[in-house]
Amino acid sequence: MSRGRSPEPLDFFIWTVQDVGLWLEEINLGSYRQAFEENGVNGEYLESLSVFTTEQILRFIRRCHMKWGDFITLCKELRRIKVACLKGEQEVRRPWWAPSCLSVVFTRVARHNRQSRVVSLKLEA
């Protein structure tokens, strides 16, 4: 998905394990990158954290060797991304693999798809 730059925040639910690692670096939780990779934590897994039971959260914290405060930071950052998504504040960037001549087309399609995703997120909330 990304090639050395941070992943697209709005699309965190489709992040790969590598995208999650880049994001952890960005939010100053890079010390957990290896543990997250070893445990296969991807965007879909991050999105599901909000419905975890207390026991599942504690198991996740133990598996990733996280400090409680860092877990809170992780949750706050995920919430920040979700709120920005619902407000439509996320910028649409052309992915590294798309040719520059298709930037305008890609951006229009991505915005349309995002509007559909935002409606879906609002209905879930």
Side-chain angles (χ1 to χ4, degrees):
M1 180 164 225
S2 305
R3 198 179 257 182
R5 73 176 190 191
S6 55
E8 191 69 40
L10 185 61
D11 302 327
F12 80 94
F13 50 91
I14 60 168
W15 284 353
T16 64
V17 172
Q18 293 76 25
D19 289 328
V20 170
L22 289 170
W23 176 68
L24 289 172
E25 298 284 345
E26 188 178 292
I27 63 169
N28 298 319
L29 294 177
S31 60
Y32 297 106
R33 185 174 186 163
Q34 184 178 354
F36 275 54
E37 287 176 358
E38 289 170 359
N39 286 287
V41 178
N42 60 14
E44 184 179 359
Y45 189 91
L46 288 177
E47 187 174 29
S48 69
L49 279 176
S50 62
V51 294
F52 274 19
T53 64
T54 303
E55 183 179 321
Q56 289 172 313
I57 289 171
L58 293 173
R59 197 175 313 131
F60 171 78
I61 290 171
R62 275 195 305 269
R63 253 194 354 251
C64 293
H65 309 286
M66 289 192 86
K67 296 176 183 171
W68 184 249
D70 290 341
F71 178 74
I72 299 298
T73 299
L74 178 82
C75 292
K76 285 180 180 178
E77 290 296 323
L78 281 171
R79 179 166 173 72
R80 184 183 60 76
I81 288 173
K82 287 182 179 183
V83 168
C85 170
L86 291 172
K87 290 182 177 179
E89 295 173 349
Q90 293 296 334
E91 160 191 356
V92 175
R93 295 188 302 219
R94 179 179 59 87
W96 62 267
W97 47 264
S100 58
C101 62
L102 295 177
S103 290
V104 174
V105 173
F106 174 81
T107 303
R108 283 184 191 150
V109 170
R111 280 198 181 107
H112 175 73
N113 288 343
R114 287 184 174 186
Q115 288 169 350
S116 299
R117 176 65 184 161
V118 167
V119 168
S120 171
L121 283 172
K122 285 181 179 176
L123 291 175
E124 291 172 11

